[in-house]
Amino acid sequence: MVAEKLDQSDQNRPRFVAVTTLEDVQAVRCAEFHPNGRIYAVGSNSKTFRICEYPSLSEIREDHSTYQPTVLFKRTKHHKGSIYCMAWSPAGDLIATGSNDKTVKLMRFNESQKQLEGQEMELTMHDGTVRDLCFLEDSSNKSSLLISGGAGDCKIYVTDCETSTPFQALSGHGGHVLSLYNWGGVMFVSGSQDKTVRFWDLRTRGCVNMVTPATSPGSRQGSPVAAVCVDPSGRLLVSGHEDSSCVLYDIRGNRPIQCFKPHSSDVRSIRFSPSAYYLLTAGYDNKLVLTDLQGDLTMPLPSVVVAQHTDKVISGRWHPVDFSFLSTSADKTATLWALPPI
């Protein structure tokens, strides 16, 4: 496990090394680990969809030379436009991708053969770029539901994956939906250009709470919400904003805890580490920052830059169990970062 201290002093700084780097001809927007952690998928502006193998980290040393990952599956022209977002179902048997061609593609995945299989389904209910996706398990009949949101009419659609039929359109946001994150079974949150975060519960078929995180000290001023996530306990919401702010919000107490600025430009991605001790944020300042959440959340939070690209960072994603993460960037790469064994 990582040394639990995030000191600003150099000796204790976690030194993540770039283990593998996948190179593309255009910006890489999204990458997502399969729930089993053995593979990950990558989507690019070049319309290319890839599935890569997660390497063994046991040999990694500080003087490691970055290499190309093993690509198990590659499809060019996967969409007619850029691949903006992707998501795996919790069971790992489905993967969905969203694009600025306004479509969502839903595919079955064979875990033992590490390949897509069968007929892919194309969903065409969106009338703008699909910006984010997430899956929910409908516990009542054990089916997977796909949540998708984006530009256009700003509606969030719920699709039954068994029948590939959208059966619900959730209205409320007055601006493009930029981020979706599910937590607690039938609950999910959405972040929007309209500066609000909405909480949705599929049992009540609607929005159960709305928050406008304040990002300017002493005012109620907000900023477009580019990224949202909720910690595994369901207590803490974190939103990332275009004005470079992050806001911690106490869900149960329905109140903000603090606003902090780990980046000098738009925050595009936020994720809790598997243990929820750390927050990984990715920004348009080309950096990935690790913020320590183990102390008093009302106090200034220790943050360190743990990885860097040569252009804007678009997303950062933790491995499901290891202390490693993927980042995607406008510098046309997707890089896997890990800590060398101590």
Side-chain angles (χ1 to χ4, degrees), residues 64-83:
H64 170 81
S65 304
T66 309
Y67 58 92
Q68 290 268 358
T70 304
V71 177
L72 303 168
F73 179 90
K74 178 180 177 180
R75 178 187 284 169
T76 55
K77 303 199 176 80
H78 173 66
H79 276 273
K80 293 187 181 72
S82 304
I83 303 172

Side-chain angles (χ1 to χ4, degrees), residues 108-162:
R108 295 222 157 265
F109 180 73
N110 183 319
E111 212 172 311
S112 54
Q113 291 174 2
K114 301 181 180 169
Q115 294 286 334
L116 299 179
E117 64 178 20
Q119 188 62 46
E120 67 174 47
M121 298 306 301
E122 190 174 72
L123 305 172
T124 56
M125 62 280 185
H126 288 277
D127 63 354
T129 299
V130 182
R131 293 296 297 259
D132 209 0
L133 300 159
C134 68
F135 281 91
L136 301 186
E137 287 297 315
D138 183 356
S139 47
S140 58
N141 57 5
K142 285 282 178 276
S143 69
S144 288
L145 302 176
L146 176 65
I147 316 290
S148 55
D153 62 11
C154 308
K155 286 192 173 85
I156 296 170
Y157 287 90
V158 185
T159 300
D160 181 334
C161 297
E162 273 305 298

Side-chain angles (χ1 to χ4, degrees), residues 10-268:
D10 236 30
Q11 293 78 23
N12 298 325
R13 176 166 298 201
R15 279 198 177 78
F16 282 84
V17 296
V19 182
T20 64
T21 292
L22 177 76
E23 292 170 14
D24 196 272
V25 292
Q26 291 188 33
V28 183
R29 284 196 179 263
C30 51
E32 296 285 347
F33 283 107
H34 186 275
N36 72 17
R38 291 193 288 274
I39 56 162
Y40 58 91
V42 182
S44 153
N45 274 8
S46 67
K47 313 178 175 74
T48 307
F49 173 82
R50 295 178 180 87
I51 293 175
C52 301
E53 191 165 47
Y54 181 69
S56 161
L57 301 180
S58 55
E59 302 304 307
I60 308 293
R61 297 292 172 263
E62 293 225 351
D63 57 357
H64 170 81
S65 304
T66 309
Y67 58 92
Q68 290 268 358
T70 304
V71 177
L72 303 168
F73 179 90
K74 178 180 177 180
R75 178 187 284 169
T76 55
K77 303 199 176 80
H78 173 66
H79 276 273
K80 293 187 181 72
S82 304
I83 303 172
Y84 264 71
C85 53
M86 54 174 54
W88 293 95
S89 63
D93 58 341
L94 295 168
I95 183 167
T97 55
S99 167
N100 59 359
D101 67 7
K102 307 179 187 178
T103 69
V104 174
K105 293 205 170 185
L106 184 60
M107 298 149 287
R108 295 222 157 265
F109 180 73
N110 183 319
E111 212 172 311
S112 54
Q113 291 174 2
K114 301 181 180 169
Q115 294 286 334
L116 299 179
E117 64 178 20
Q119 188 62 46
E120 67 174 47
M121 298 306 301
E122 190 174 72
L123 305 172
T124 56
M125 62 280 185
H126 288 277
D127 63 354
T129 299
V130 182
R131 293 296 297 259
D132 209 0
L133 300 159
C134 68
F135 281 91
L136 301 186
E137 287 297 315
D138 183 356
S139 47
S140 58
N141 57 5
K142 285 282 178 276
S143 69
S144 288
L145 302 176
L146 176 65
I147 316 290
S148 55
D153 62 11
C154 308
K155 286 192 173 85
I156 296 170
Y157 287 90
V158 185
T159 300
D160 181 334
C161 297
E162 273 305 298
T163 60
S164 307
T165 312
F167 66 91
Q168 215 171 329
L170 302 168
S171 314
H173 279 300
H176 298 173
V177 177
L178 302 179
S179 180
L180 295 165
Y181 190 84
N182 70 301
W183 61 285
V186 286
M187 304 278 296
F188 68 93
V189 290
S190 56
S192 164
Q193 198 83 46
D194 67 12
K195 306 180 182 177
T196 68
V197 175
R198 283 176 179 262
F199 293 78
W200 308 84
D201 185 332
L202 289 182
R203 290 164 302 196
T204 63
R205 299 196 160 219
C207 177
V208 290
N209 193 11
M210 183 185 84
V211 180
T212 305
T215 60
S216 307
S219 83
R220 293 200 172 162
Q221 204 81 45
S223 168
V225 185
V228 285
C229 72
V230 173
D231 82 317
S233 72
R235 289 179 187 178
L236 195 59
L237 164 82
V238 192
S239 52
H241 300 265
E242 287 186 1
D243 67 358
S244 76
S245 311
C246 288
V247 177
L248 295 181
Y249 193 88
D250 172 356
I251 295 172
R252 294 178 188 176
N254 202 14
R255 61 189 177 87
I257 301 169
Q258 74 157 295
C259 174
F260 64 103
K261 293 204 171 184
H263 294 271
S264 56
S265 190
D266 304 35
V267 179
R268 298 310 300 191

